[in-house]
Structure formats: C-alpha cells, structure tokens
Amino acid sequence: MDAVARLGSNIKTVTQNESCVVFTISDETGEGVMTVYQVLPGVMVCFSDMHMEKCKSEFELKAGQKVFCIDHCREGRIEMEVQPGVFSIMQEKELRLDNREHHKGMACYPLKHYHGVSIFLEVEQAQAAFDEMFHGFSVKPEQLREKYCCFEKPYVIRDEESLSRLIASFYPRNMEHPELAKTREYYLLKVVELLLYLNVLPVEYVKENKPYYYRTQMEKIRAIHAQITTDLKSRVTIEELSRQYDMPLTTMKKCFREIYGDSIYSYQKRYRINVAASMLLQDETLEIQELALQMGYENPGKFSAAFRNVMGISPTEYRIRKEGIV
C-alpha cells in the first residue's frame, strides 16, 4: 500500500495483512485510528475515527501523480487549510470530491472527534485495474477527476438522497450483515457503484456552495470558543463578542456554526450544562445553588430549567439516576 506508506512519519502501524492495514496517529491532543482496505491496485477505502483536536498530515502527491478522492463525514467536523491562509470546513452528511493537491498541513477537529470514510483512487493505476477486471470499464476515474475537481473550491455534495444511501452502505453499522465489512470484495462493489452514480450525476445539480474562511477569522472564532468555554460565570452577548473581536455579527455567527455545529448561545448553554453534569457526579456534596452560580446562573430555578432542557431531567434526578440509586 504505497499511498499508505507515504502518509507520514507520525503514524504507527497496529496490524496489517494483504488487504487491510490499521494504524494510529496521535499528538498531545488525542489519538486517531485509520483502517485502510486495498480493494484494487490504486483503489483504497479508508475509515477514519479521530478523537483529537488536530493532526498533522504529511501526505504529498508524487510529481505528475493524479488522484481522485471521495470523502464523506459521518460525524464531527474537519477543518483543512486548502490554500495558504484559507480554510475549508467539512461537516456531517457532506461528501467532498477532491484531487488531494492541498492536503499537506494541519487538520483540525473542532468538536474533538471526526468519523468518516474516504475512497482514494490513483487515477492511472485504478483505471488499469478496472479495465483488467471488467475487460474495459465505462467510467474513467480521470474524467471524474476533471468533472468534479476543476473548480476553485472543493466540490461538496449534501442531502442528495440516493447518494446518501449509497455512502451509508459503506459503514459497518448500517449493514444488514456487518461481517461483510471485513471483505475486500464488498468494498469493491460499493466503490464501483459509487463511481457509476457519480458518472451520471449532473455537475452543479446538488453542489453545496461552501464558504471559505481566512486565518484571521478562524483565529477569532477559536478565541471566542475559548472564552465562552473557559469563563463559565460571565455572561456576554453575541453583540458584545462581535465588538470585542472586531468581527461582523453575521460572519461571526455563520463561521461559529460552521465550525462548532451550533449557535454561540446554544453551544455555550450545552457546554455549561455538560460541565455541570460532570461536577454533580464528581462531588456529591456540591449544592445545586452553588453549582448554578459557578455556571453563571443567577438562581437555581433558571439553572434547573436549563439543565432539564439539555439533559431531559432535573439536576437532582440526574445525580440520583447516575449514582444508581433508582
């Protein structure tokens, strides 16, 4: 698996056989696991399960090498620098078609997790393998690459029903017989089906016009996130944040939602309540009134109402249930 071997020096192989390799990648923020199936020469299916804030990619194409990649995000977020100082964010249920020309650098996971699948085709090798298997293959990987990778931005597809069902069938948890996930033949059939579908899908039919964000914007949004998740006692409005970070209100709200998957207000509320829930279990002597003040609520009633809204039960009920008393 030449392409796997060239992913970088920061990976560690866990297990490997003729058709599959599993390796880990880690840094001080966490660890990720990647499981790669070689279904044909030049054709790989890679499942990524990341539980970290960031990870360095050392992958680079060889001179003259042409690649066509299909990436799908099942859960989480991934943030990549697609041009110097310019960032793209891929989120749940999005399919991205990419030529891997801008893949070296730092990948960030704003939600501290990412789960997805990538189909990697080295164009010349894949074409030769398909032609040999099918005695000529009507779908040309290079033509798909030219069709979808000729735009200034990565081609992103979202909420296309038939395509969503097809991609879902790659994931073991969606299979009627999960043991198929261990067979190279199954993934080969799925890859062929996916290529056939992309071949007939009209360009621009379901393309998502994803915004790019610049380094200064990303740095400001990360600073806002750090502020609202560190100082839980203070209350600050989005208008105040907009002025504080010198960022237009609409841009700030849109960028934060793209990166963290929720509005600033809702994200902060859920974060506070999840911290509070953890504290309830860690310290059984902690009074609800004291906890409410630590979370920035002026009285226990408002805190309990917010807790119930997020967790579905009151703080007292949560503590009792989690301790196994009822």
Side-chain angles (χ1 to χ4, degrees):
M1 295 186 184
D2 181 56
V4 171
R6 292 185 291 107
L7 280 174
S9 59
N10 55 342
I11 66 172
K12 178 182 178 182
T13 301
V14 177
T15 183
Q16 184 173 2
N17 57 38
E18 291 183 356
S19 62
C20 175
V21 57
V22 179
F23 58 88
T24 60
I25 182 167
S26 61
D27 74 355
E28 66 276 8
T29 69
E31 184 176 82
V33 176
M34 301 179 72
T35 305
V36 182
Y37 293 88
Q38 182 92 53
V39 298
L40 279 179
V43 182
M44 295 187 299
V45 175
C46 173
F47 292 92
S48 298
D49 295 285
M50 303 297 184
H51 295 275
M52 56 203 310
E53 292 182 20
K54 58 185 174 64
C55 131
K56 185 179 180 182
S57 170
E58 299 180 9
F59 178 82
E60 282 188 290
L61 296 175
K62 294 179 179 178
Q65 184 183 24
K66 292 183 179 180
V67 164
F68 179 56
C69 285
I70 304 158
D71 303 305
H72 180 259
C73 174
R74 178 168 62 87
E75 292 179 15
R77 293 283 194 284
I78 182 169
E79 168 197 314
M80 291 289 295
E81 189 170 11
V82 294
Q83 297 172 18
V86 181
F87 295 81
S88 172
I89 301 162
M90 185 179 172
Q91 54 188 280
E92 289 97 339
K93 301 179 181 179
E94 288 186 346
L95 188 79
R96 181 180 61 191
L97 307 171
D98 180 48
N99 57 21
R100 285 299 189 269
E101 290 182 358
H102 303 284
H103 201 69
K104 185 177 181 180
M106 192 66 68
C108 296
Y109 307 100
L111 302 183
K112 300 183 181 179
H113 77 278
Y114 170 83
H115 307 283
V117 63
S118 296
I119 296 90
F120 179 101
L121 291 93
E122 201 288 319
V123 167
E124 292 185 4
Q125 269 193 305
Q127 188 67 64
F130 284 131
D131 286 343
E132 181 179 354
M133 173 164 284
F134 297 105
H135 305 290
F137 189 50
S138 61
V139 179
K140 308 297 181 185
E142 184 166 4
Q143 291 179 1
L144 287 178
R145 182 178 181 274
E146 292 172 355
K147 176 180 178 180
Y148 290 107
C149 301
C150 62
F151 302 93
E152 182 182 350
K153 299 179 180 181
Y155 196 98
V156 176
I157 300 174
R158 184 177 179 85
D159 295 331
E160 205 283 325
E161 186 176 352
S162 297
L163 190 55
S164 296
R165 285 199 302 268
L166 203 166
I167 287 293
S169 67
F170 276 83
Y171 296 104
R173 74 176 191 177
N174 294 323
M175 296 179 185
E176 186 175 351
H177 301 288
E179 62 271 16
L180 290 172
K182 298 180 181 180
T183 65
R184 182 171 57 181
E185 292 80 5
Y186 177 83
Y187 289 124
L188 173 58
L189 292 173
K190 291 288 117 183
V191 169
V192 169
E193 186 180 0
L194 178 58
L195 296 180
L196 288 168
Y197 192 88
L198 290 173
N199 193 51
V200 299
L201 188 69
V203 174
E204 301 291 344
Y205 179 62
V206 289
K207 183 181 180 183
E208 181 88 356
N209 188 20
K210 295 286 292 182
Y212 276 4
Y213 296 102
Y214 295 95
R215 188 181 303 279
T216 53
Q217 293 174 315
M218 301 297 286
E219 288 172 350
K220 288 178 179 180
I221 293 299
R222 291 192 190 106
I224 290 170
H225 178 267
Q227 179 175 330
I228 67 174
T229 57
T230 302
D231 186 5
L232 300 182
K233 285 185 178 181
S234 70
R235 292 282 177 171
V236 58
T237 67
I238 57 174
E239 290 78 14
E240 289 170 334
L241 289 171
S242 176
R243 288 192 297 270
Q244 180 181 342
Y245 290 93
D246 189 25
M247 194 172 189
L249 185 61
T250 300
T251 302
M252 182 187 72
K253 292 193 295 183
K254 185 175 182 180
C255 188
F256 190 96
R257 186 181 286 275
E258 282 281 324
I259 297 173
Y260 295 106
D262 207 345
S263 69
I264 296 174
Y265 171 77
S266 179
Y267 186 96
Q268 186 179 33
K269 177 182 176 181
R270 288 190 297 107
Y271 188 89
R272 275 195 176 106
I273 296 305
N274 278 279
V275 170
S278 178
M279 292 175 67
L280 278 171
L281 301 184
Q282 291 173 6
D283 184 359
E284 61 182 18
T285 65
L286 183 62
E287 297 289 340
I288 302 300
Q289 183 174 358
E290 180 185 349
L291 182 57
L293 292 174
Q294 291 186 36
M295 294 298 111
Y297 289 88
E298 59 189 35
N299 63 67
K302 289 187 177 181
F303 169 70
S304 295
F307 193 100
R308 184 181 291 277
N309 180 259
V310 173
M311 307 300 291
I313 54 178
S314 72
T316 302
E317 291 171 326
Y318 180 85
R319 173 179 270 166
I320 292 173
R321 290 189 185 183
K322 290 297 181 177
E323 289 177 348
I325 296 176
V326 296

